[in-house]
Amino acid sequence: MSRHSQLTVRCPNCLSKIPVQKNSAEAVCGKCGIGYRICWPSPSQPMIRGLLAPISPRESE
Amino acid sequence: MPTALESRIAYIDLSKKKVNVKTTPREWVKQLLGGRGVSALILYGLLKSEVDPLSPENVLVISIGLMAGIPLPSARVNIGAKSPLTGAIGSSNCGGHFAPEMRRAGFDHIVIVGRAEEPTYLWISDGTIEFRRATQLWGLDTVEAQEAIKDELGDHSAQSLVIGPAGENLVRYANVRTGVKSSAGRTGMGAVMGSKNLKAVTVRGSWDIEFAYPDKVLDLCIRFNENLRKTRFFTVMQVYGTMHIFSYTNTAGIVRVKNSQSNQLFPSDNIEAEAVRPYSVGHEGCYGCPIQCRHRYVVESPRYGLIYDEGPEYTSQGCWGSMMAINSTECMLVCNHLVNRLGLDTLETGSMIAWAIEIFEKGLIDEKATDGMTLRWGSPEIVYELIEKIAYRKGFGAILAEGPKRAIEKLGSATAYYNMNVKGMSWLQTEDRAIPSFVLGVCVSTRGADHLRSRPAIDLFGLPKEFLEKLYGAPMTSDYTSYEGKERMVWGNELEYAVIDSLGLCKFACSHFITPHSIYTDTFNSYQELSELIYYVTGLEVTGDQLKTCGERIYTLERMFNLREGFTRKDDYPPQRYFDEPLPSGLPIVRGKRMDREKYEKLLDAYYTLHGWDSNGVPKAETLRRLGLTEEGIKALVGEVFG
Ligand code: SF4
Ligand SMILES: [Zn+2]
C-alpha cells in the first residue's frame, strides 16, 4: 500500500497520525484524545472537517 | 511571432493618447524574469517618491509572467503601481486567461501613465493598441463590463482586465478582475485604474507563441502535471478549492473571529468547504491548470434573487464567515458575489467591516458615524449593506473605503488598536499569533500585511527536522509555535515566491506553498527544475543559483521602493494586539499564545541579516552591488527602455 492510500489524518494538535475507518465521519486522536469530524474529498482520502465538540479551556490546560 | 525572450513593452500615455513600443531588454529577463519582477523595476525607475497614487503621475504596470502560455498553470498577470491604500509598492496578480492572450496579442508589459479625458478602455490586438470610449461601460459591474466589451468587439474570446464601481469610485482597495472570478485583489490597483479613467484593458491575439525547445517544454509539462496529480493536495483542491484550508485552521484555532477577538468559530459547519458542495454546479479554473480549483455555484438570495458566481476562496470564507461570526453558506456565497461584481478586495473589505463592528461594539463610534446603523456580529444584512456602501462610497461606507490609515484618522486614534493592519493594509483572515514564521512573513511583506509573499504553510506540518534542514539549508525546528530558525523559512519562501510570481506560475500548483506532498513526490518546485523549464521555453541559461538571486533582487528592489517612500523597520511589526492578548480559544497547542516582543525583535534582526540588510532593514552597499541594484545599476537597466 503506498503512503498516500493509507486512511489517516494528522492531528492538528499533536501532529500524530490518526487512523480513520473507511467512510467514517469521526476520528479521535489516540495521543491527545481530541475528536474530529471527518469528510471525504475522495473515497480513499479522509480529511479533518472540524471539531466534534469545542474544547473547553480546562481541557486544554 | 511572440516569444518570452523577444517580447515587447508598450508605453501608453492616456493624457496624450500616445503609444510607444519597445523591445524588452534581455537583461531585464535575466535579472527580473517578468511579471512582478519587471513591474518592480519599472515602478522604482519611473516613479518619483511621494507621487499621489491617485494622480495621473502614478504609473500602472500590467506585466505577464515569463512562462505565460505554456501548458501549465502559468497564467498569472501582475498589476503594479504605487498603492493608494498603503503608499508602498502596489503589486497584485491574478490568474484566468488574460496573460497568455496578452502574449499572443504581442505584448508582455504594458506601462500606463496619465489620465484619459473620458472613461476609456484599451483594445490591444495583434500588435496594435487602440483607445476606445468607455462611457457606456462606466457603472457596469465587473462581469457586465467584460460581456459588454465582448459584444462591442464581436469577439467572445477577448480577455479583459476590468474594474467595477469600486474602482470607479476610487475605493482605495478596489481590485482588478478578469473572468467571473479571478481578481488581482490586494493594494488597490483598481483605484489606480479608476483614477486614470481606465475601465478596462482588453487583449486578443492570433499570434503563435514560440518556444525554444517545444518538445522538451511539452515533456516537462506532462511530467509536472503527472506529479501534481499524485499529490493529496490535487484531489482536495479539485473538490474543495482553497476552502479546504479552513477545515484545518478553524479546527486548530488559527482564524480571525469577530475581527480579532477570538480564533475559532463553533459551530462552523455551514461555512466549511463541504457545505458549498450542494450549491456547486461544476468547477472552473485558469488557463493550463489541471486542478480547476474553484466552484461554479448558484445560490438563491431573498435580497438579490438567483445568483451565479465562482469561488469562494478560503479568504472569502474567513471574511464573510468566521470574521463576522456568521455560520451561513448563503451569506458567504452572496458576499463573495457582491465583492466580485463590485470590484472590491474581499479581504480588505471584510477586515474593515469587522473592525467597524468591533469599535461600534466597544462604544468608540456610534449610530451618528454609521448612518444610523446598529452594527453587530452575526448579521448578513448589515454586512451586505456595508459592502454596498463601501463600493459606492455612501455615508459611513466612504470612511471605510479609505482603508485602515485614513479611516483611523477619521474615527479617532482610540480605534487604531483594533485595526489589524501592517503598513496600512489589513491582516488576512487568519489569526497567526501562535505561529512566529507566519507573523514575520506577513509583517515584512513588501506590499503590507500579506501571506502570498512568503507564507511557509509547510511549518504547520510538523515535518522532521532533518527534512526541513535539507529544504532550507540550515537547522530548523519542527515546532510551528517556535521562533527558532524561522527567519530562514520566511526568507527562503520570499525568494521562491518572487521567482514564481515573476514567472507567472500559480503557487498552488507549483510549490510547497500548501503541501509537503509536492516535495515528497519530487514535484516541480526546485530552482533546478524551474531553470530547466526556462531554458526549454526561452533558450536562456539561468542556473538555479542565479534564479534564487533573481528572487533576492526582486524582493530587495521592492524593499527599496518602500524605503524611498519612508517605510522603515517600524513598519515591520504586527499590531500591538498580537503582543498583548493571548489567544482565547483553539487547540491546546495554540490556546493562550501571543507574540513575544523580545523574540520577535531577534527574529527580525536575523531576517534582515539573511537579506543583507542592516538593522533598520536598509540594504547594505555590498548587497546592492551584488544584486546590481546600485543607483547606477538601476539607472542603466531602466535606461535600456526609458532612457
Ligand atoms: S490551482 Fe486554481 S488558481 Fe491556481 S492555476 Fe489552477 S485553477 Fe488557477
Ligand atoms: Zn493529537
Side-chain angles (χ1 to χ4, degrees), chain B residues 450-505:
Chain B
D450 182 63
H451 60 303
L452 290 170
R453 288 297 193 249
S454 72
R455 175 138 289 187
I458 195 169
D459 202 7
L460 297 178
F461 292 94
L463 295 168
K465 278 181 182 178
E466 304 68 40
F467 177 82
L468 290 172
E469 180 164 351
K470 201 170 137 211
L471 190 64
Y472 287 104
M476 193 155 310
T477 162
S478 308
D479 173 6
Y480 70 73
T481 65
S482 162
Y483 292 70
E484 193 192 322
K486 298 305 170 63
E487 72 281 2
R488 186 169 289 272
M489 205 175 234
V490 170
W491 171 78
N493 281 28
E494 280 178 346
L495 307 190
E496 186 190 344
Y497 290 4
V499 168
I500 288 172
D501 282 342
S502 303
L503 293 175
L505 301 173

Side-chain angles (χ1 to χ4, degrees), chain B residues 519-540:
Chain B
I519 299 165
Y520 286 138
T521 53
D522 194 24
T523 312
F524 187 83
N525 57 34
S526 71
Y527 287 118
Q528 201 42 51
E529 283 169 307
L530 292 172
S531 73
E532 205 183 330
L533 181 69
I534 292 169
Y535 179 68
Y536 293 148
V537 170
T538 66
L540 193 71

Side-chain angles (χ1 to χ4, degrees), chain A:
Chain A
M1 190 190 270
S2 85
R3 178 167 30 82
H4 292 155
S5 60
Q6 288 168 15
L7 301 182
T8 60
V9 292
R10 198 178 281 279
C11 172
N13 188 53
C14 70
L15 305 172
S16 330
K17 280 195 173 172
I18 312 173
V20 186
Q21 292 297 315
K22 202 163 176 58
N23 297 324
S24 173
E26 296 176 5
V28 177
C29 176
K31 190 171 168 196
C32 60
I34 296 173
Y36 299 103
R37 287 179 291 126
I38 301 294
C39 59
W40 295 83
S42 84
S44 59
Q45 198 171 320
M47 192 185 98
I48 286 180
R49 177 175 175 169
L51 284 172
L52 268 179
I55 298 165
S56 74
R58 212 177 317 117
E59 277 175 84
S60 76
E61 273 151 21

Side-chain angles (χ1 to χ4, degrees), chain B residues 77-134:
Chain B
V77 53
N78 196 84
I79 304 169
K82 182 175 174 181
S83 167
L85 180 67
T86 62
I89 195 157
S91 176
S92 194
N93 69 57
C94 64
H97 297 261
F98 184 91
E101 201 63 43
M102 181 162 139
R103 177 161 282 163
R104 279 197 290 269
F107 297 95
D108 272 18
H109 313 288
I110 301 169
V111 184
I112 301 168
V113 298
R115 175 183 285 149
E117 232 170 64
E118 60 172 358
T120 295
Y121 78 95
L122 295 170
W123 167 227
I124 301 176
S125 164
D126 290 349
T128 64
I129 297 176
E130 204 183 307
F131 298 82
R132 294 180 77 112
R133 233 178 94 247

